[in-house]
Amino acid sequence: MQHSQLLTATSDPALNYLERLSRWLPLLLGLLGAIATAIVTRLRSSELAVYRMSGTSPTSLMTLLTLETLLIAGIAALSAATASLALPAHYIDPAVPVLWGIGLAGTWAVVTLAMSLDLAVRHPSDLAKDR
């Protein structure tokens, strides 16, 4: 009976991981990147107004903004995948940083597009006045 008391677990690594706030860091970084990208996109409102005044449809403008955002978010996801390949000894499962990278990129893309959607449908003269 005394031996079983000596072998009892003193900590639970899975519970310790679940209690860490840093496990949400990739999603937080995705959110911060999305906010920065949306701010930069809003600063380009006069450029977007020129596109619209020259005949670009709202759908085409949103496609342009979507492709730009996906390119940025894709580079972030690719960086996470590269880190998992470059540092395999540091991870128990190399798929984990890839999945967190996809989560980071997804957060980045969805939040940026949600914050920039109105730029494509606003009247071009209103976009030109924003700056």
Side-chain angles (χ1 to χ4, degrees):
M1 182 102 25
Q2 190 172 6
H3 292 289
S4 65
Q5 290 176 350
L6 293 175
L7 298 177
T8 57
T10 57
S11 67
D12 183 7
L15 183 62
N16 289 342
Y17 174 75
L18 292 175
E19 290 176 348
R20 285 188 346 204
L21 291 178
S22 64
R23 74 183 178 126
W24 300 107
L25 184 62
L27 298 181
L28 179 63
L29 290 175
L31 182 64
L32 291 175
I35 291 169
T37 304
I39 289 171
V40 169
T41 301
R42 291 204 171 275
L43 291 175
R44 295 173 48 209
S45 64
S46 59
E47 174 194 342
L48 301 176
V50 171
Y51 286 143
R52 288 292 315 281
M53 286 181 190
S54 66
T56 303
S57 69
T59 305
S60 295
L61 184 60
M62 195 61 211
T63 301
L64 175 72
L65 293 175
T66 300
L67 290 175
E68 289 176 359
T69 301
L70 291 177
L71 178 67
I72 294 168
I75 290 171
L78 182 63
S79 298
T82 304
S84 72
L85 295 174
L87 305 167
H90 295 291
Y91 302 110
I92 294 172
D93 182 6
V96 171
V98 173
L99 293 174
W100 276 114
I102 291 170
L104 179 145
T107 302
W108 196 318
V110 168
V111 172
T112 299
L113 291 174
M115 293 176 72
S116 304
L117 183 62
D118 68 315
L119 294 174
V121 295
R122 288 179 55 204
H123 198 272
S125 61
D126 291 339
L127 285 173
K129 291 177 195 174
D130 282 350
R131 223 159 165 198

